[in-house]
Amino acid sequence: MTKGALIFEGNEKQVFATDHPDQVIFRYKDVTVAFNNVKRARFKGKGALDNQISAILLDYLNKNGVETHYIRTLSDQEQLCRKIEIIPLQVVVHNRIAGSLAYRLGVPEGFRHANTIVDLRYNNDDLEDPFINRDHAVALGLATYQELDGMYNAARKVNDLLKPLFHKAGIELVDMKIEFGRASDTGAIIISDEISPDTCRLWDEATGERMDKDRFRLDLSRVVESYTNVFERLKQAIEKK
Ligand code: TYD
């Protein structure tokens, strides 16, 4: 497998072609951004941590009946992935209220609810990723109702698999964002982006301390230390399985 041309350059990631038509290389950068790319910083080692954490989680999903784009890890900051056509939607799962949802619903951060909440956002930087509903997504031609049902079900299944895995690591999975794409080889809709402390809220079950990107968003310091802690604990949890 040979690394080819750069085909996508994002803030936090690069995607390279390979000599296989249905495979690409994802490279996680040491850059982090927040608030629709307004806040930005570089953290040495963060790309490798996101790469490794995402690899653990996506591999776990692949092995438990949820198809993802992850194939295998290639190096510290790179993983081989299936090529997909992006579906510009974010399916957001909440197990506890945090972040902007607290403002939207007028409840304090940390508010507990018995049900799982699933939100849908249109992945569009110019519009600042607005919340939309299924009808909007179908109207824009982003997916069919049947495909949206599949994405919602997959998101709930991801949550049902990852919540206990994080719990085993002493970490509460508060919320997470999931993206999907159409696989170029089979056309199946599969999970197609990282799942990491950049895309989840993760709270230490013992101390309540934040272990995710909120450390950067809220200037809480020790970003790389927290991501390292998540990685070490997840690695142990997965080995115990
Ligand atoms: P959400 O409640 O939609 O937004 P906010 O960050 O304003 O509270 O986010 C829930 C989770 O999804 C949170 O862990 C951050 C993550 N997320 C992303 O990774 N990328 C995004 O573009 C958005 C909007 C959220």
Side-chain angles (χ1 to χ4, degrees), residues 62 64 91 99 116 119-120 140 160 165 177-178 186 190 212:
N62 280 336
N64 284 279
V91 181
T116 305
D119 265 328
L120 188 65
L140 292 175
D160 289 345
L165 179 65
K177 183 251 327 175
I178 298 170
T186 63
I190 63 173
D212 55 69

Side-chain angles (χ1 to χ4, degrees), residues 90 92 94 98-100 121 129 131 175-177 198-201 217:
Q90 302 175 341
V92 183
H94 301 266
S100 62
R121 302 183 76 143
D129 302 340
F131 290 96
D175 62 29
M176 71 180 145
K177 183 251 327 175
D198 275 1
T199 62
C200 299
R201 283 197 171 87
R217 292 189 191 96

Side-chain angles (χ1 to χ4, degrees), residues 53-166:
I53 294 168
S54 209
I56 289 178
L57 298 175
L58 296 176
D59 184 54
Y60 183 70
L61 294 176
N62 280 336
K63 288 176 174 152
N64 284 279
V66 181
E67 240 186 308
T68 82
H69 71 157
Y70 174 77
I71 300 173
R72 66 187 155 87
T73 298
L74 297 173
S75 68
D76 250 20
Q77 284 176 249
E78 291 179 327
Q79 55 185 242
L80 187 66
C81 292
R82 288 166 69 184
K83 191 171 179 181
I84 53 99
E85 180 200 325
I86 291 171
I87 300 173
L89 291 171
Q90 302 175 341
V91 181
V92 183
V93 182
H94 301 266
N95 295 310
R96 201 167 3 159
I97 306 287
S100 62
L101 188 57
Y103 295 97
R104 276 164 72 207
L105 300 185
V107 296
E109 244 209 340
F111 180 88
R112 291 180 188 275
H113 46 91
N115 60 333
T116 305
I117 300 171
V118 182
D119 265 328
L120 188 65
R121 302 183 76 143
Y122 179 22
N123 198 352
N124 183 317
D125 281 353
D126 293 341
L127 302 176
E128 299 186 4
D129 302 340
F131 290 96
I132 60 171
N133 64 32
R134 289 154 44 93
D135 296 330
H136 298 140
V138 172
L140 292 175
L142 305 180
T144 64
Y145 284 110
Q146 201 184 359
E147 288 172 337
L148 286 160
D149 281 345
M151 288 185 245
Y152 271 64
N153 288 338
R156 285 180 187 276
K157 187 160 179 198
V158 169
N159 191 48
D160 289 345
L161 286 165
L162 297 191
K163 210 163 65 156
L165 179 65
F166 276 112

